[in-house]
């Protein structure tokens, strides 16, 4: 399969997960989320959609670049893409826990695990393709920020 097709498949997959997460988030953002006390560093709501769209595209490109090396580094690629799949599932789960269940504490516990899985994905991707690993850095940074934000919201509303 051509490299561009692998990248495209992974980008579409990531954007689709983001879209589904957005569906869970949408109602909570307009009804429940405005009722919460938030820290002063909470970004305006309009920031999240474009940031996540960019991050999902970068994630998909990274995964496609790693997948492209499956013939040369079968086991390493398999391990990296397994961690990638786990973190992508955890990414979607966070939206459900926070916005669907309205449970910032449970979402906080889960986002810590997500952050660790993203880091491990970065480590595994770096063994295969350093550009793919670098493409995950903005995602890792944003989720680290989101972890602090999630913890703050939980703390302020406990």
């Amino acid at each position: 399969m051509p490299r561009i097709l692998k990248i495209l498949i992974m980008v579409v997959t990531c954007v689709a997960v983001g879209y589904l997460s957005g569906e869970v988030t949408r109602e909570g953002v307009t009804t429940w989320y405005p009722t919460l006390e938030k820290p002063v560093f909470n970004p305006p709501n309009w920031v999240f959609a474009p940031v996540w769209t960019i991050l999902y595209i970068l994630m998909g490109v990274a995964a496609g670049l790693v997948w492209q090396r499956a013939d040369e580094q079968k086991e390493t690629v398999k391990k990296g893409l397994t961690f990638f799949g786990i973190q992508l599932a955890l990414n979607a789960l966070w939206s459900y826990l926070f916005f669907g269940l309205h449970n910032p504490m449970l979402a906080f516990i889960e986002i810590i695990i997500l952050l660790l899985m993203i880091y491990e994905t970065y480590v595994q991707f770096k063994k295969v393709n350093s550009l793919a690993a670098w493409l995950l850095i903005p995602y890792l940074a944003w989720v680290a920020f989101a972890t602090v934000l999630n913890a703050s919201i939980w703390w302020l509303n406990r």
Side-chain angles (χ1 to χ4, degrees):
M1 184 182 312
R3 175 170 71 168
I4 191 70
L5 187 54
K6 289 179 179 179
I7 290 171
L8 189 59
I9 288 169
M10 296 309 285
V11 167
V12 168
T13 300
C14 291
V15 170
V17 167
Y19 176 80
L20 294 173
S21 295
E23 288 299 303
V24 172
T25 302
R26 241 181 261 358
E27 183 182 337
V29 166
T30 58
T31 57
W32 171 73
Y33 191 67
T35 68
L36 296 176
E37 189 174 340
K38 295 172 212 62
V40 294
F41 58 88
N42 190 74
N45 289 347
W46 65 264
V47 168
F48 291 95
V51 167
W52 275 112
T53 300
I54 292 166
L55 294 175
Y56 284 123
I57 291 168
L58 293 175
M59 291 163 56
V61 171
L65 290 172
V66 168
W67 183 15
Q68 189 256 332
R69 301 287 306 271
D71 291 338
E72 298 97 28
Q73 295 176 265
K74 184 178 180 175
E75 289 306 310
T76 310
V77 167
K78 182 179 177 183
K79 188 174 182 181
L81 291 178
T82 298
F83 277 106
F84 184 83
I86 292 168
Q87 69 78 29
L88 192 59
L90 288 169
N91 178 300
L93 179 61
W94 183 88
S95 293
Y96 176 72
L97 296 175
F98 191 89
F99 288 104
L101 295 181
H102 305 166
N103 193 331
M105 185 187 74
L106 188 55
F108 174 60
I109 294 166
E110 192 268 0
I111 202 171
I112 292 169
I113 299 166
L114 170 59
L115 193 58
L116 294 170
M117 290 298 108
I118 296 167
Y119 178 74
E120 187 58 32
T121 302
Y122 165 83
V123 169
Q124 296 306 317
F125 277 21
K126 191 169 174 121
K127 295 175 186 176
V128 177
N129 183 305
S130 49
L131 175 59
W134 280 107
L135 289 172
L136 293 180
I137 294 295
Y139 176 42
L140 189 59
W142 182 259
V143 173
F145 168 72
T147 302
V148 173
L149 182 59
N150 187 154
S152 300
I153 290 170
W154 168 69
W155 184 259
L156 292 169
N157 293 280
R158 59 190 156 75

